[in-house]
């Protein structure tokens, strides 16, 4: 007489045997593949978040330290294991400080539930034409000579979320020109106190109020410099050009760090290098769609070859 599902579930012997079988299947077949898959996914996420080859070397060194620490622990080398484990902890803290914008992006997207966006490459630099860079540099040069304060935000990849600004400012959507940039920062205009947002070849907004940096800065740095440091600390896909109202010096802010003082020619050189498709800004992880397509095409080719083998063998036997 057969047992019903309810009787089987109540039967402790059957449930114990089922649990043992599932545990055995997990240990023999599922544990290692799932572990490897999760490590691959985590590694891919790290590559996407980092996005730069120069930073990748630091991550590789950290991974080597972790591997060495694990091996020394496995071999029961206590002193070496103690030293390496402390180095791993110190390196993790240092990386958290150096890559704070990347970790902030990771935590924000995890908090928003935007897990799929972690697998999308967003580091493709937006190339700016030489004419746009020339217009910006010429405007900055004139503003510097006249000691007119200015603050310009240049997007480097995807658009900045307006929620990252204290006040989003007034939308313009005008073509970039040195005359318009100089006019916007004249003290007689209502928008001169804020920043100008430049996206590709368009001035998207003016009078943008930015969050200030919490870092301790030199007394020579004014509100514009602290605002440039603050927005580049908070948002990684932008750089800021600052002109000091007191001294007329030119600065370039990226990732919370100010490069100053600069000449107009040096600024042009940095902007051209920043917006060019250089190897340092090349994405280190391929797009997930490209990986899927390659795996799909490889799988189809392998399946076709496997299907051809029996037919070819049977044809040989007939001959």
């Amino acid at each position: 007489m057969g047992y019903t599902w309810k009787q089987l579930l109540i039967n402790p012997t059957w449930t114990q045997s089922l649990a043992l079988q599932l545990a055995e299947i997990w240990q023999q077949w599922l544990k290692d593949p799932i572990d490897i898959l999760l490590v691959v996914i985590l590694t891919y996420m790290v590559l996407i978040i980092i996005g730069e080859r120069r930073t990748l070397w630091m991550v590789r060194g950290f991974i080597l330290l972790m591997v060495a620490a694990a091996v020394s622990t496995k071999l029961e080398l206590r002193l070496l294991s103690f030293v390496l484990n402390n180095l791993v902890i110190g390196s993790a803290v240092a990386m958290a400080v150096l890559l704070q914008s990347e970790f902030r992006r990771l935590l924000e997207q995890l908090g928003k539930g935007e897990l799929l966006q972690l697998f999308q490459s967003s580091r493709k630099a937006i190339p700016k034409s030489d004419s746009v860079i020339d217009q910006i540099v010429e405007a900055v040069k004139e503003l510097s000579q006249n000691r007119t304060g200015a603050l310009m935000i240049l997007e480097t990849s995807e658009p900045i979320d307006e929620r990252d600004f204290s006040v989003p400012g007034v939308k313009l959507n005008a073509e970039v020109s040195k005359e318009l940039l100089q006019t916007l920062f004249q003290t007689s205009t209502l928008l001169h106190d804020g920043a100008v947002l430049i996206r590709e070849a368009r001035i998207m907004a003016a009078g943008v109020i930015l969050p200030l940096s919490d870092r301790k800065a030199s007394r020579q740095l004014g509100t514009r410099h602290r605002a440039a440091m603050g927005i580049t600390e908070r948002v990684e896909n932008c750089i800021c050009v600052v002109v000091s109202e007191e001294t007329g010096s030119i600065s370039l802010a990226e990732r919370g760090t100010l490069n100053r003082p600069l000449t107009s020619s040096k600024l042009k050189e940095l902007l051209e290098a920043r917006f060019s498709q250089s190897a340092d800004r090349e994405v280190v992880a391929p797009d997930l769609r490209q990986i899927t397509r390659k795996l799909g095409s490889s799988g189809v080719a392998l399946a076709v070859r496997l299907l051809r083998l029996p037919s070819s063998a049977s044809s040989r036997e007939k001959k």
Side-chain angles (χ1 to χ4, degrees):
M1 184 176 180
Y3 292 96
T4 63
W5 282 105
K6 188 175 182 180
Q7 292 174 340
L8 289 174
L9 292 175
I10 296 175
N11 188 356
T13 305
W14 185 84
T15 54
Q16 289 177 1
S17 62
L18 178 62
L20 291 175
Q21 290 178 1
L22 292 176
E24 185 177 357
I25 293 174
W26 167 259
Q27 290 290 338
Q28 292 185 358
W29 301 100
L30 297 179
K31 183 178 179 180
D32 292 338
I34 291 178
D35 190 15
I36 295 173
L37 179 62
L38 291 176
V39 171
V40 170
I41 293 175
L42 181 61
T43 304
Y44 184 82
M45 289 172 59
V46 170
L47 294 178
I48 286 294
I49 293 169
I50 293 171
E52 296 183 10
R53 291 191 182 276
R54 58 186 179 184
T55 313
L56 183 62
W57 292 108
M58 181 173 60
V59 177
R60 286 178 178 175
F62 180 69
I63 293 175
L64 288 176
L65 273 179
M66 292 179 61
V67 172
V71 171
S72 62
T73 303
K74 191 71 175 178
L75 297 177
E76 297 183 356
L77 302 175
R78 296 181 181 179
L79 182 58
L80 181 61
S81 176
F82 173 78
V83 173
L84 290 177
N85 286 328
N86 283 280
L87 281 176
V88 168
I89 295 174
S91 301
V93 174
M95 288 182 61
V97 174
L98 294 175
L99 304 177
Q100 55 180 327
S101 59
E102 285 82 358
F103 282 112
R104 183 186 294 114
R105 174 177 171 240
L106 171 63
L107 295 177
E108 286 179 354
Q109 290 186 341
L110 286 177
K112 294 176 183 178
E114 300 173 349
L115 298 179
L116 293 179
Q117 292 188 7
L118 292 174
F119 298 95
Q120 298 176 358
S121 176
S122 60
R123 295 303 193 97
K124 293 182 179 179
I126 299 176
K128 283 183 168 46
S129 62
D130 294 337
S131 60
V132 175
I133 294 178
D134 290 339
Q135 293 291 323
I136 295 173
V137 172
E138 290 178 8
V140 169
K141 183 178 180 180
E142 293 291 334
L143 293 169
S144 175
Q145 291 176 352
N146 298 328
R147 292 193 177 183
T148 302
L151 177 57
M152 306 177 192
I153 312 168
L154 281 65
E155 293 181 347
T156 57
S157 55
E158 74 272 8
I160 302 175
D161 192 344
E162 290 185 353
R163 291 174 293 183
D164 291 322
F165 302 140
S166 299
V167 178
V170 179
K171 295 183 179 180
L172 297 179
N173 194 15
E175 186 177 354
V176 173
S177 66
K178 64 176 183 179
E179 294 81 7
L180 180 56
L181 289 173
Q182 292 180 52
T183 302
L184 289 173
F185 290 111
Q186 295 301 317
T187 56
S188 57
T189 62
L190 298 176
L191 303 176
H192 74 280
D193 278 335
V196 165
L197 175 62
I198 299 177
R199 179 178 301 159
E200 297 184 5
R202 311 289 294 181
I203 300 176
M204 302 305 298
V208 181
I209 306 301
L210 306 178
L212 301 181
S213 174
D214 295 330
R215 294 183 182 180
K216 292 183 179 180
S218 173
R219 294 181 179 179
Q220 298 178 354
L221 302 181
T223 306
R224 289 187 177 89
H225 296 88
R226 292 179 58 198
M229 294 170 60
I231 189 61
T232 52
E233 287 173 359
R234 183 178 181 86
V235 181
E236 60 179 357
N237 55 305
C238 72
I239 57 177
C240 287
V241 179
V242 187
V243 178
S244 174
E245 187 175 359
E246 296 180 356
T247 63
S249 63
I250 303 172
S251 306
L252 183 66
E254 183 174 9
R255 298 194 176 190
T257 303
L258 280 175
N259 189 354
R260 58 183 291 271
L262 301 174
T263 61
S264 57
S265 58
K266 183 63 176 179
L267 175 65
K268 181 179 180 180
E269 179 184 343
L270 292 175
L271 291 180
E272 289 177 346
R274 182 62 180 79
F275 288 103
S276 64
Q277 299 292 339
S278 61
D280 287 340
R281 302 299 301 179
E282 185 181 356
V283 176
V284 298
D287 191 8
L288 191 60
R289 295 179 181 177
Q290 296 178 0
I291 296 177
T292 306
R293 290 174 184 174
K294 290 181 180 179
L295 291 177
S297 59
S298 301
V300 170
L302 180 61
V304 170
R305 290 180 181 179
L306 292 176
L307 291 175
R308 286 179 179 177
L309 287 177
S311 60
S312 60
S314 60
S315 60
R316 290 177 182 175
E317 290 177 357
K318 290 179 180 180
K319 291 180 180 179

